Structures are given as C-alpha cells and as structure tokens.
Amino acid sequence: HIPYNPEYDEAYIRELLVKLAGLGAKEVALTGISFEPDKIGVYSYNSETKSFNYYCNKKLPVSFHGTGDIFSSVVMGGLMRDLSMEDALKLAVDYTLECIRITNKDETWYGVEFERAIPMLCERLKDAK
C-alpha cells in the first residue's frame, strides 16, 4: 500500500510504477506526470528490463474532455503498428498536445478537435516505419 501524494517527486512515481508492474504487467505507464509547471507527460516502466522512461511536452493552460481516450487510442494504435511502448507513449503525448493546441486556437468548449490533427499523426506513423 502506497499512500496518495499529490505533491509527488520522481522517486514516488518510480515506486508507484514498480508496485503497479508487480500486479503482473510487463510495462506500465502513468500519465499526467509533471515535474515542471509548463510541462506534462508520461512516466513508464518496463519490468523485464527494469528501465524507466519519462517523456514530456508543453503543458497548455487549458483542459478538455476526451484527451485520455485520445491518448490511450494512440498508444494502442502505435503498439498495433509495432512501435515500442516508449515510442507509442511519445507519439500519444505529442498527438494529444497537438489536438489540444488546435482546439485551443478555436476556443472549442467541449472535447478536442482530434480530426484536424490526424495529418500529424499519419505523418509521424509514416516516419516511424
């Protein structure tokens, strides 16, 4: 049992990931991780290699419904296209940011305009092969 700590540090995140992987998963990830006020991303752990990975990008001062669904869909799509977990997570962080960036520009109040960012996703997937 690990108590919740809203003011986490890297050691706390690593401990959570190791405990989570201890439930049986080979690879685990925590999203919404931020060690800097203007950055947000994902921290992951591979229990076979005992390696951690942290990837972040710019954090915009807005919030929209549906970004978690978009993130998880891109990770799964990346894995289905034989990307490594690390690369799939990076793609998901960047694509989700692009969706938010495009939506923020238009000041949409509900959900993100993921459709307008699909060309970026396709381009990145093309480059990944």
Side-chain angles (χ1 to χ4, degrees):
H1 172 51
I2 300 174
Y4 174 69
N5 182 0
E7 296 182 20
Y8 55 82
D9 60 10
E10 193 167 358
Y12 177 78
I13 296 302
R14 285 178 174 235
E15 181 181 8
L16 284 176
L17 288 167
V18 169
K19 295 270 188 183
L20 187 58
L23 297 174
K26 174 185 165 189
E27 295 181 87
V28 293
L30 292 173
T31 61
I33 304 299
S34 177
F35 299 112
E36 303 171 63
D38 61 339
K39 303 279 185 184
I40 194 164
V42 61
Y43 214 120
S44 61
Y45 174 66
N46 183 315
S47 65
E48 288 184 346
T49 63
K50 307 286 189 242
S51 60
F52 293 91
N53 184 58
Y54 175 61
Y55 180 76
C56 65
N57 208 323
K58 184 176 183 176
K59 180 179 182 178
L60 299 176
V62 294
S63 179
F64 294 102
H65 297 281
T67 54
D69 294 335
I70 289 168
F71 186 93
S72 60
S73 296
V74 172
V75 171
M76 181 54 73
L79 293 173
M80 301 274 304
R81 291 187 54 95
D82 294 326
L83 293 182
S84 67
M85 177 66 84
E86 185 178 332
D87 287 342
L89 290 169
K90 287 178 182 180
L91 179 61
V93 167
D94 293 345
Y95 180 69
T96 304
L97 172 63
E98 182 66 6
C99 291
I100 293 169
R101 187 190 65 74
I102 286 171
T103 303
N104 187 34
K105 187 184 296 184
D106 292 341
E107 299 183 23
T108 301
W109 70 273
Y110 190 83
V112 290
E113 296 181 34
F114 68 90
E115 301 91 345
R116 292 180 50 209
I118 288 175
M120 174 265 197
L121 181 62
C122 291
E123 191 64 30
R124 288 277 299 271
L125 284 170
K126 182 178 75 174
D127 292 342
K129 284 295 182 179

